[in-house]
Each structure stands twice: as C-alpha cells, then as structure tokens.
Amino acid sequence: PQCMAETPPEFCEHMITTVQPFDLPTHRHQNSSENVDPNEILELVHAWGHQHVGALGMELYNEQTGQLLCRTKPLYGTGDTPGNEAGFLVGIPPCVWGPPPLAPPPRIRRGDLLRTVARYNATVPRYGVMSLWLMDAARLLPRAKLEMLV
C-alpha cells in the first residue's frame, strides 16, 4: 500500500514477512525413498536475497533465537549503460560464510524456522511485491558432527 501523502519519505515503507522451515521438503516435492531428519544440522554458506524495483532490503532471522543471519541492501543503477540503468535494481550483494577470513557459517537444523523480513519503498503504489532467498548449505563432516556432541 502507498503511504499517505503527508508521510515523510524516510518513514514510507511497506514490510512483508514470512516464517518457513530452513530445509524441509514439501510433501509434493519430497522423494518418498528419502527420509529427511529435521534435526540434521547444516551450515549456511550462502544466502542471496531476491527482490524487485522499490526494494529497500531484506533480513533473514533464526526464528527460535532471534539471531540476524543476513541483511541485504539492493544496489540501484545510476547511469545509462547496460547493467547500470538509472532507477533500476541492478544487484543484491549476498551474505557468504566460510573459512577465514570469512565469518564462520551459521549452524542451523533443517527443521528450524527462519523469518524473512522484506522492505519496500511505499512512496508510490507497488503491486505484487515479493521476496525470496536463494540459499546454499553444507552437511557437517563426520568430525564436525562429533565436535557438536562435545
């Protein structure tokens, strides 16, 4: 929804949010021969937010702990060359974890709930706003699994 005319632009924001399991297949996509353990711990190594024009940014939270896992801020073009078109969303830098010098990957159970918060500029009407995350996770190596028990 568009903000009322007297709303200062810096306060004119539309927020959408959803909570979903980290990595549990849906019934219609689940392979019946594969059993998925909702308590299996995975390491989140890459999270890339996806939004459209008008986006102000996204946040990804662990719903159980409240921990902010990733925050993105879109990049808008400033020129007229391909890939830098003024006013168009031209990129969203991802959050990446790994070995040093990167931050260590967050460890998350497959069944843990994650909250997505997406923010859009609401100074003009926008229809069909959306957001989603593209994420990569890695299974723990056997040694890392043993360390989790200690």
Side-chain angles (χ1 to χ4, degrees):
Q2 183 177 3
C3 291
M4 296 177 56
E6 63 274 5
T7 306
E10 63 270 20
F11 297 113
C12 199
E13 179 180 288
H14 176 63
M15 181 181 70
I16 55 176
T17 186
T18 184
V19 176
Q20 298 176 324
F22 175 48
D23 188 43
L24 288 180
T26 62
H27 292 293
R28 64 176 187 203
H29 293 108
Q30 186 173 3
N31 180 342
S32 60
S33 65
E34 180 183 343
N35 290 326
V36 176
D37 178 4
N39 291 312
E40 180 181 12
I41 297 172
L42 303 174
E43 290 186 329
L44 181 60
V45 295
H46 180 262
W48 180 39
H50 177 86
Q51 292 182 279
H52 293 173
V53 170
L56 297 174
M58 290 175 61
E59 293 130 32
L60 181 66
Y61 293 91
N62 181 316
E63 183 71 358
Q64 282 86 349
T65 66
Q67 177 190 11
L68 174 64
L69 300 171
C70 179
R71 176 178 282 137
T72 65
K73 184 175 180 184
L75 304 172
Y76 283 88
T78 58
D80 58 10
T81 58
N84 187 32
E85 298 91 340
F88 285 88
L89 196 154
V90 296
I92 300 177
C95 295
V96 181
W97 301 269
L102 298 172
R107 290 183 172 175
I108 306 168
R109 286 181 166 69
R110 282 186 182 270
D112 282 354
L113 298 176
L114 300 183
R115 176 177 295 277
T116 295
V117 176
R119 301 172 194 283
Y120 274 86
N121 176 320
T123 57
V124 298
R126 299 192 191 280
Y127 304 97
V129 295
M130 55 75 65
S131 65
L132 60 88
W133 290 100
L134 303 169
M135 293 186 273
D136 293 312
R139 287 188 162 134
L140 294 177
L141 299 173
R143 180 176 169 201
K145 286 183 182 180
L146 289 175
E147 290 172 359
M148 291 294 296
L149 298 174
V150 177

